[in-house]
Amino acid sequence: VKRVVDYAVKVRVRPDKTAVEIDGVKMSMNPFCEIAVEEGLRLKEKGHLSELIAVCCGPDKASETLRQALAMGADRAIHIKTTMRTDQELQPLAVAKLLAKIVE
């Protein structure tokens, strides 16, 4: 699951125009990740899954997103802590490699 700027928040660009301002901005679970968790729960109810595990890469505050996934019905949550900005420095290939290590 990914932690993103809440959809109701007006996004501001930093004065140096290098990134989006995320300090002090309300964050929430990506709406598409919410849909994925819901679908995982449906698959579990049908017996196609034995366990639904939510994984999130990010700073300490990303645990809030994992708690939301647990509240939705996920069985376990794994938090990969990093200080990298998930909108710039933590690229999809790096996340895929981290997930591959977790699955092993």
Side-chain angles (χ1 to χ4, degrees):
V1 293
K2 187 171 183 179
R3 182 175 180 260
V4 296
V5 174
D6 190 83
Y7 66 90
V9 173
K10 185 176 180 181
V11 178
R12 291 176 295 148
V13 178
R14 285 184 175 177
D16 60 3
K17 302 205 186 311
T18 59
V20 172
E21 185 63 54
I22 59 174
D23 295 329
V25 174
K26 183 180 179 202
M27 305 292 273
S28 63
M29 184 186 298
N30 184 330
F32 296 106
C33 293
E34 286 183 24
I35 294 168
V37 171
E38 291 169 2
E39 184 60 28
L41 292 170
R42 283 189 210 99
L43 290 171
K44 186 178 172 190
E45 288 172 0
K46 291 180 183 177
H48 298 296
L49 297 176
S50 60
E51 185 178 35
L52 180 61
I53 303 169
V55 180
C56 188
C57 302
D60 290 334
K61 290 185 178 182
S63 62
E64 297 167 8
T65 306
L66 289 172
R67 274 196 293 276
Q68 183 181 352
L70 290 168
M72 292 174 71
D75 298 309
R76 288 192 299 141
I78 298 172
H79 184 187
I80 302 171
K81 293 183 182 182
T82 179
T83 57
M84 299 172 86
R85 281 183 58 122
T86 55
D87 63 332
Q88 291 179 318
E89 300 167 330
L90 193 59
Q91 297 297 316
L93 180 60
V95 174
K97 288 179 180 180
L98 290 169
L99 291 174
K101 291 291 182 186
I102 289 173
V103 173
E104 288 177 356

